[in-house]
Amino acid sequence: MIKLLALDMDGTLLNSEKKISQENIAAIHKAIKAGVKLVLCTGRPPFGVQPYFEQLGLTQENEYVIVDNGCAIHQTSDWSVIDWVALTKEDIRYLYELTLNSSIQLTLFDEKHYFVVGEKPSDMVERDATYVFTNPVEISLDEALSGKHIMFQAMFLGEKEAVDSFEARFSKDICQRFSGVRSQPVIYEAMPSGVTKAFALERLAKKLKISPQEIMAMGDANNDIEMLEFAGLGIAMGNASDHVKNLADDVTCSNDEHGVAVAIEKHILN
């Protein structure tokens, strides 16, 4: 019996227009009414999640949100952080030095800010920030290292060809020290070592006394793989890559075909 539903957002809960369909909202409400706990699991920061959570209309419920690819867990009753892992000063300095003499920009996230380290935000960073309902803020390396901010997650942004080159050159070294993932063609992400969506989901499930076999997880991208494998039932979206689909237990419809609702009806409500 499924007791917890872990949902990725972009490419899963959200359609290609970055909207939540009424079909998905209705199915989520039915699942919660049936006693299932909802956990949104995303690479987004909390300020990029809250407007969507409000659209779900669950203000009377205390659900959970895993943000920054597993770096922090928030409870939605007051959006407080109940568990977190952060980058160290040494981590930030190391990651920044990888971008020197490169068109790639290093961005960092705390609870309230989308920071760009050491230079003005590129057009790509400006555009990416709109997807999480904010504006990027330029920050010096000294301030990033000052301890004023708890930095959870780092992202490297650039044109696809530049990120291809960056990944080929540095990913092996990054993954020896961090959890690194190419989440999008123009983004390479780095979290503290061992941190993934699955890492946070496991910690939350233990707190809630829910076993992996009682979890259904849904996702479409590389940063969802560990979560799909951890859950007793891992569901890939129809728009996922063949690699992600092959690792899942089942494949639902695409994010433009209300795939979340279809999977909830099939595996939870029936």
Side-chain angles (χ1 to χ4, degrees):
M1 178 180 175
I2 300 300
K3 295 183 178 179
L4 188 153
L5 173 61
L7 285 181
D8 168 54
M9 292 185 63
D10 295 273
T12 300
L13 177 61
L14 307 183
N15 63 24
S16 58
E17 296 180 346
K18 301 294 183 183
K19 296 180 180 179
I20 309 175
S21 72
Q22 288 302 313
E23 288 84 351
N24 283 349
I25 292 173
I28 287 169
H29 277 259
K30 290 179 183 177
I32 291 173
K33 188 175 181 180
V36 175
K37 182 63 65 177
L38 174 68
V39 182
L40 299 183
C41 302
T42 179
R44 289 170 171 261
F47 49 83
V49 178
Q50 286 172 286
Y52 286 117
F53 190 83
E54 290 171 3
Q55 289 180 33
L56 291 175
L58 301 174
T59 53
Q60 302 303 312
E61 307 288 339
N62 184 30
E63 306 298 339
Y64 296 91
V65 175
I66 291 171
V67 298
D68 296 319
N69 276 323
C71 293
I73 305 172
H74 294 252
Q75 61 182 13
T76 62
S77 58
D78 58 4
W79 287 92
S80 62
V81 180
I82 63 169
D83 194 12
W84 54 272
V85 182
L87 296 167
T88 67
K89 294 179 184 179
E90 292 75 17
D91 290 337
I92 294 168
R93 186 184 300 277
Y94 173 85
L95 294 170
Y96 174 72
E97 290 176 351
L98 297 181
T99 67
L100 297 178
N101 303 313
S102 166
S103 63
I104 297 288
Q105 291 197 316
L106 173 65
T107 66
L108 299 169
F109 296 87
D110 70 0
E111 277 193 75
K112 297 182 178 179
H113 302 95
Y114 186 134
F115 293 117
V116 184
V117 184
E119 54 188 327
K120 292 183 178 180
S122 66
D123 290 344
M124 180 171 293
V125 169
E126 293 276 6
R127 186 166 59 252
D128 185 68
T130 66
Y131 298 145
V132 293
F133 315 109
T134 193
N135 296 306
V137 177
E138 183 181 353
I139 187 175
S140 68
L141 179 60
D142 286 344
E143 185 173 350
L145 300 175
S146 69
K148 295 178 183 177
H149 310 278
I150 299 174
M151 302 298 193
F152 296 109
Q153 177 187 21
M155 292 197 319
F156 298 96
L157 281 86
E159 297 295 336
K160 179 183 180 302
E161 295 75 13
V163 180
D164 286 344
S165 177
F166 179 89
E167 181 179 22
R169 185 178 178 187
F170 295 121
S171 63
K172 184 177 179 180
D173 290 338
I174 290 174
C175 289
Q176 289 179 348
R177 182 167 174 170
F178 304 88
S179 289
V181 64
R182 180 76 173 270
S183 59
Q184 297 181 37
V186 297
I187 297 176
Y188 189 94
E189 304 189 38
M191 288 70 67
S193 180
V195 172
T196 63
K197 292 181 182 182
F199 165 85
L201 185 58
E202 181 177 9
R203 288 163 72 104
L204 178 59
K206 286 180 179 178
K207 173 182 172 65
L208 298 175
K209 296 181 171 55
I210 294 174
S211 72
Q213 290 71 31
E214 296 170 316
I215 298 173
M216 183 172 101
M218 300 186 64
D220 72 302
N222 290 341
N223 61 342
D224 298 315
I225 289 173
E226 294 90 350
M227 177 175 74
L228 297 180
E229 293 180 325
F230 169 74
L233 182 59
I235 310 294
M237 301 299 294
N239 48 289
S241 68
D242 288 341
H243 176 60
V244 173
K245 289 176 181 177
N246 289 337
L247 295 171
D249 299 303
D250 195 14
V251 179
T252 187
C253 298
S254 77
N255 62 324
D256 287 326
E257 300 169 308
H258 325 297
V260 166
V262 172
I264 288 173
E265 291 285 349
K266 178 179 179 180
H267 295 288
I268 295 178
L269 301 179
N270 288 335

